[in-house]
Amino acid sequence: MKMKKSYLAVPLSAALLIPAAGVSAHGHEDHSKMSHSSGKVSLDVSSPASDLRATLDQLLSEHAYLAVVAMQKGIDGKKDFDQAATALNQNTDDLSAAVGSVYGDEAGEAFKKIWSSHIGYFVDYVKATGAKDEDAKQKALKELDEYRVEQAAFLDKATEGRLKAADLEGGLKVHITQLLTSFDSYVAGDYDAAYSNMRKAIEHMYMVGEGLSGAIVTQYPDKFKNTKVDTPAADLRAGLNRNFSEHAALAVLAMQKGIDGAKDFDAAAGALNANTEDLSASIGSVYGSEAAQQFKKIWSSHIGYFVDYVKATGAKDDQARDMAVKELDEYRVEQAAFLDAATEGRLKSKDLEEGLKVHVDQLLLAFNSYNEKDYDKTYPAIREAYGHMYGVGEGTATAIVGQFPDKFKGAPAGMPNTGLGGTAESQSSNGILWSLLGIAAASILGFFGLRGRRSQQ
């Protein structure tokens, strides 16, 4: 269970130092921008503040996903546990580097020590569960409670009181409880609850990212050119990022469970299908039920082709594997045409097809390397697939705001008051409206075809 040193860092220095480019997903001048210097609300999808939020969203949500995966691998005694744990620790290194890029190297190291401790306590909990050692489980829980206090105090001090320790402790408790509930449900064989809580844990981290980035931007407004993290356009981007990255994460895990013949495959696949249902229902709220059904049919087909690929791999049927790849190629063309039409040409079919190929190839690499037990390739591929989706979200949101600029002229929804996240109810009605109608619905409109996007990895 030893964790390796990270080979990858994603500092926030780019968000701090590099102004957002006024360029759309096509490389053209972005006409969806409004000046912020005049005091008007910005329509920028990509701004110093929203870039910061997206970076934190990526790292924090990936932490929740990888933590669940590593805990499952640990209790099952899987041979890829070390690589899953290494990926989780690489995420920690990236997050610590991000904190250090804002508050200095010493603060980054202090954060890393504290943050790493709670991962260690989760490992202790997993070990104790496997050993049926109730005393050790209770000790791990006690240590997690102590961690919450220490982490909250660190962030309260770092943000100069902009995030309050009491609120932070509450938000951290939500995070810990969600991960433990997912794990305990998994051990108990209640797989539907395990995956439901995984999805909640991932979603919760987007509130964490919003809260932390909002505090930092308020603390250093000049470094972020007085832009905001909570504009409707930034909320749109965050919602797209969540939907797309969750799809990639759940697809990889479902494929692993499928080839292993795991008992929780149906629940993993069910979570992936729930993600599809969310996207399909959302498009209906903007484009009508007919468009929603059309999207769902096309989108679901590519998930089915991945399932066919897994089945063919298990059966060692090369012809069926080749057929699945051929069908995935045909899917790319169909999906690209649909999205080109939906965005009225703001996302081009050719670019969409190429972007979809990146996604397909990343998932197949993650699966094939897993099946071949080359786990050192598997987890970097998973992280790449996850990170890829944040470029997708950014470019897609740019296209949507350009298509419907009037829908994004509202004032910021307001920051949650619970520090590192709380409940969805803590958001304003405006934020909820865009969550239900704007963010997820528009997420259908521009899948993957984003060339020349900025990597956040």
Side-chain angles (χ1 to χ4, degrees):
M1 293 191 176
K2 182 180 292 185
M3 311 292 192
K4 298 179 182 178
K5 185 176 181 181
S6 173
Y7 65 92
L8 176 66
V10 187
L12 302 188
S13 55
L16 285 167
L17 301 176
I18 301 174
V23 178
S24 72
H26 301 301
H28 300 147
E29 183 179 354
D30 186 357
H31 296 288
S32 67
K33 301 169 76 69
M34 289 177 60
S35 171
H36 204 93
S37 60
S38 63
K40 295 180 180 179
V41 174
S42 173
L43 286 183
D44 291 1
V45 169
S46 304
S47 70
S50 63
D51 289 349
L52 171 67
R53 178 180 174 182
T55 298
L56 291 174
D57 283 348
Q58 177 181 340
L59 294 174
L60 290 165
S61 64
E62 186 188 50
H63 160 78
Y65 168 68
L66 290 173
V68 170
V69 171
M71 292 171 79
Q72 288 187 5
K73 301 291 184 178
I75 197 64
D76 289 343
K78 289 290 188 179
K79 293 181 178 179
D80 60 325
F81 168 79
D82 284 343
Q83 288 81 2
T86 294
L88 179 57
N89 274 349
Q90 288 167 345
N91 170 276
T92 295
D93 288 342
D94 297 343
L95 187 55
S96 302
V99 171
S101 72
V102 176
Y103 295 111
D105 292 342
E106 185 176 347
E109 286 301 314
F111 173 87
K112 181 178 178 180
K113 181 179 179 181
I114 300 170
W115 186 264
S116 296
S117 73
H118 95 291
I119 294 175
Y121 301 145
F122 280 125
V123 172
D124 292 342
Y125 188 89
V126 173
K127 288 180 177 179
T129 299
K132 298 182 179 180
D133 185 339
E134 189 62 30
D135 288 341
K137 285 179 66 172
Q138 291 304 314
K139 180 182 178 183
L141 291 174
K142 181 176 182 292
E143 289 172 327
L144 283 166
D145 275 340
E146 293 170 352
Y147 152 76
R148 290 193 300 113
V149 175
E150 186 178 11
Q151 186 75 84
F154 173 90
L155 292 170
D156 187 321
K157 182 178 179 180
T159 63
E160 299 175 323
R162 288 170 177 82
L163 295 175
K164 302 299 183 184
D167 294 334
L168 291 163
E169 289 178 27
L172 287 165
K173 184 173 178 61
V174 171
H175 169 63
I176 290 168
T177 299
Q178 287 170 333
L179 294 190
L180 291 178
T181 302
S182 179
F183 174 72
D184 288 339
S185 299
Y186 181 80
V187 173
D190 188 353
Y191 301 127
D192 288 340
Y195 284 92
S196 174
N197 279 284
M198 172 194 273
R199 294 191 71 201
K200 289 176 182 177
I202 291 171
E203 181 178 9
H204 172 75
M205 284 306 203
Y206 286 84
M207 299 176 69
V208 175
E210 182 182 5
L212 181 55
S213 61
I216 294 171
V217 168
T218 302
Q219 194 172 8
Y220 303 111
D222 291 344
K223 291 184 178 180
F224 295 91
K225 301 189 180 301
N226 296 303
T227 55
K228 304 292 184 183
V229 303
D230 56 346
T231 65
D235 288 346
L236 171 66
R237 178 180 175 185
L240 293 171
N241 287 343
R242 180 171 66 84
N243 286 325
F244 288 135
S245 61
E246 184 187 56
H247 163 77
L250 293 173
V252 168
L253 192 54
M255 293 171 77
Q256 288 187 1
K257 300 293 185 176
I259 198 64
D260 289 344
K263 292 180 180 180
D264 59 320
F265 167 75
D266 286 343
L272 179 59
N273 286 337
N275 174 273
T276 298
E277 292 289 344
D278 291 346
L279 293 174
S280 301
S282 297
I283 195 171
S285 70
V286 173
Y287 294 104
S289 59
E290 184 177 349
Q293 289 303 313
Q294 183 182 1
F295 169 80
K296 181 179 177 181
K297 181 178 179 181
I298 299 171
W299 182 271
S300 297
S301 72
H302 96 289
I303 295 175
Y305 300 145
F306 279 124
V307 172
D308 292 343
Y309 188 90
V310 173
K311 288 181 178 178
T313 299
K316 299 182 179 180
D317 187 337
D318 290 340
Q319 184 175 355
R321 274 168 53 113
D322 291 343
M323 176 59 71
V325 172
K326 180 176 181 293
E327 289 172 327
L328 283 166
D329 282 339
E330 293 171 351
Y331 153 77
R332 292 192 296 112
V333 175
E334 185 177 11
Q335 185 76 86
F338 175 88
L339 296 168
D340 188 321
T343 61
E344 299 175 326
R346 287 170 176 81
L347 295 172
K348 303 297 185 184
S349 290
K350 181 180 178 181
D351 295 337
L352 289 162
E353 289 176 30
E354 292 181 10
L356 282 163
K357 180 171 175 56
V358 172
H359 170 65
V360 170
D361 288 348
Q362 286 171 334
L363 295 193
L364 291 180
L365 173 60
F367 171 74
N368 288 332
S369 59
Y370 178 81
N371 183 57
E372 294 160 5
K373 298 180 172 54
D374 189 356
Y375 305 129
D376 288 337
K377 287 185 180 178
T378 301
Y379 287 88
I382 291 172
R383 296 198 71 199
E384 287 181 11
Y386 196 87
H388 171 74
M389 294 303 195
Y390 286 79
V392 173
E394 180 182 3
T396 302
T398 299
I400 295 164
V401 171
Q403 189 174 12
F404 305 112
D406 290 343
K407 292 185 177 181
F408 295 90
K409 292 181 179 178
M415 298 302 299
N417 61 5
T418 52
L420 287 187
T423 63
E425 287 76 15
S426 70
Q427 299 181 58
S428 72
S429 59
N430 186 51
I432 293 172
L433 174 64
W434 279 106
S435 176
L436 294 176
L437 298 179
I439 294 175
S443 67
I444 308 308
L445 295 180
F447 186 74
F448 297 117
L450 311 168
R451 302 174 67 182
R453 52 192 172 270
R454 180 176 66 258
S455 172
Q456 293 187 15
Q457 300 178 9

